[in-house]
Amino acid sequence: MNNIGYYDFHVHIGEQISGHTLKDDFAELKSLCERPPEQDNPPLLGLGAFVTEVAQEKLQDTYQRMKDKAERDFGKPVHWHITPTQSKCKDIYPLLQAGCDLKLYTTYRQAGLYSSYEDIEHWMMDLQDLKTRILVHCEDDLIVQGCSAQKEFRHPFDHTFRRPEIAENKAVGIVLDLAVKHKHPVHIVHVSSPTSALLIKEAKMSFPDISCETAPHYLLYNEERLREPDAHRYLCTPPYRKESSRGMLVELLQEGIFDILASDHCNFPEELKDNYKNKLDQIPQGIPGISSLYTAVYSALVKTGKISLEQLDRLLRIKPAELMHIQG
Ligand SMILES: [Zn+2]
């Protein structure tokens, strides 16, 4: 292959999340682009980053500030996914016209990120001409709330009960129905449940402009990792799933159900997480992943013959470039 390298479509950097500043910004990622083109650990070619609306600044201004920073400190292609929390369609129309994706969440009410299914449908109707792709974090908030109320967050493993696969499956099913109904492009982020992946496969047959990703941590780890010492540092949402689900996700990857792999890189300082070791319901969740995205999958799945190098190249370079409108 001539163009050795990879893209990461799903990266949280340079933002504050739930009041905590992420550990890294664009400047820190530049060294990943300067790696020699080695087959097992190639350079980063570009990424998809998030801009979330905050109370004290207009979304357009936050976007412009982050875009300027990315151009100055990173210098590689960046595709933008924007999350309005207050703005309406007309307020952010220029950003959507410029090609930004929309990113919506069916959960995280407390953080102010929640959109109801009706809200999502309204966005689709408002954007019926532009057909802006909507990325959706799918976990049904009512199910999450119900399960969380039944299981106090005392141990990292409790996370698996509080945010079960059924919450993801329910939200994925509803969002897919909306995408098919309105013929609206949708991308389901970090699919962690094989049932959700199968729902996506089926919906794609009715409406092909649906895409999805899973993250290496759902393919390489199972929920037992949350019983390890210091497992509070590995908390991410959705949580790691049971071994049978992990194994099925790998099989579904082999079948080609996932369009791309992306890290959902969301790196908080370990000292910060350690401060919340005994207050797990408030711990900043998210794990790093952009630097190991390619190399972890290469060693676990390509070297073991589970997927081919060509499949990996498609999942991490060709298809993400397509989704981000980057000329390869
Ligand atoms: Zn994310």
Side-chain angles (χ1 to χ4, degrees):
M1 283 180 293
N2 299 322
N3 300 312
I4 283 190
Y6 69 103
Y7 293 99
D8 192 343
F9 184 74
H10 190 146
V11 183
H12 299 274
I13 45 167
E15 278 203 295
Q16 279 225 334
I17 296 187
S18 305
H20 301 294
T21 304
L22 290 165
K23 190 172 170 182
D24 37 26
D25 209 328
F26 283 98
E28 279 78 43
L29 301 186
K30 196 168 169 62
S31 64
L32 301 178
C33 307
E34 289 155 1
R35 285 171 174 168
E38 284 167 8
Q39 196 175 69
D40 60 347
N41 193 18
L44 177 70
L45 302 172
L47 54 86
F50 293 84
V51 187
T52 309
E53 184 173 5
V54 290
Q56 59 275 22
E57 192 173 39
K58 279 175 73 179
L59 185 53
Q60 287 92 318
D61 295 342
T62 314
Y63 164 79
Q64 196 57 51
R65 196 165 41 76
M66 286 186 68
K67 190 165 177 275
D68 291 346
K69 193 166 55 176
E71 279 163 15
R72 187 187 67 220
D73 297 344
F74 185 62
K76 297 285 177 191
V78 177
H79 182 76
W80 298 93
H81 316 297
I82 59 171
T83 300
T85 54
Q86 304 293 326
S87 294
K88 301 287 173 248
C89 187
K90 62 172 174 20
D91 307 324
I92 58 165
Y93 205 75
L95 299 185
L96 302 174
Q97 251 178 334
C100 295
D101 295 329
L102 205 57
K103 163 79 184 289
L104 301 176
Y105 300 76
T106 65
T107 184
Y108 296 142
R109 225 178 259 265
Q110 275 185 333
L113 297 174
Y114 170 80
S115 291
S116 67
Y117 301 118
E118 292 74 23
D119 294 336
I120 294 173
E121 184 162 25
H122 271 120
W123 279 104
M124 289 179 180
M125 292 191 290
D126 287 346
L127 293 168
Q128 61 177 333
D129 296 328
L130 214 49
K131 294 286 181 202
T132 296
R133 183 198 299 130
I134 306 180
L135 276 57
V136 192
H137 173 131
C138 286
E139 283 181 296
D140 184 83
D141 201 56
L142 272 181
I143 297 182
V144 168
Q145 280 185 34
C147 293
S148 298
Q150 282 172 29
K151 188 82 186 173
E152 235 183 294
F153 209 163
R154 291 178 185 277
H155 186 277
F157 194 83
D158 297 335
H159 196 40
T160 64
F161 299 106
R162 291 165 58 92
R163 306 193 87 97
E165 283 189 38
I166 46 161
E168 179 175 337
N169 299 336
K170 169 143 192 213
V172 165
I174 295 173
V175 169
L176 291 174
D177 284 349
L178 292 173
V180 172
K181 177 180 168 191
H182 292 279
K183 303 225 172 318
H184 198 98
V186 154
H187 176 87
I188 310 290
V189 295
H190 48 58
V191 174
S192 68
S193 156
T195 305
S196 289
L198 290 168
L199 290 171
I200 293 165
K201 178 187 178 184
E202 197 183 307
K204 276 182 177 185
M205 288 188 232
S206 313
F207 178 57
D209 215 348
I210 289 170
S211 54
C212 70
E213 67 187 44
T214 187
H217 44 271
Y218 301 118
L219 300 167
L220 308 183
Y221 302 112
N222 65 30
E223 63 187 11
E224 294 307 315
R225 197 179 191 215
L226 295 177
R227 298 192 201 273
E228 290 176 13
D230 288 330
H232 64 284
R233 292 180 180 170
Y234 312 142
L235 286 169
C236 59
T237 297
Y240 308 126
R241 302 305 193 186
K242 53 185 188 291
E243 174 56 19
S244 57
S245 293
R246 187 205 63 78
M248 277 173 72
L249 281 182
V250 173
E251 286 177 26
L252 294 168
L253 181 80
Q254 291 171 312
E255 268 184 47
I257 283 178
F258 295 104
D259 296 272
I260 61 168
L261 293 172
S263 72
D264 195 8
H265 179 82
C266 188
N267 195 9
F268 291 104
E270 286 195 339
E271 316 81 72
L272 174 70
K273 292 186 187 179
D274 291 349
N275 291 340
Y276 289 89
K277 196 172 176 175
N278 299 313
K279 289 177 280 185
L280 291 176
D281 55 341
Q282 294 165 47
I283 195 167
Q285 290 187 17
I287 52 174
I290 188 170
S291 68
S292 61
L293 173 60
Y294 186 105
T295 184
V297 182
Y298 180 85
S299 61
L301 300 181
V302 176
K303 277 177 97 173
T304 55
K306 293 203 167 64
I307 62 170
S308 67
L309 192 56
E310 287 67 30
Q311 275 172 300
L312 185 68
D313 188 44
R314 185 164 172 76
L315 289 160
L316 283 178
R317 189 177 64 84
I318 297 173
K319 192 69 189 176
E322 231 174 87
L323 289 178
M324 297 193 283
H325 317 295
I326 294 166
Q327 310 293 327

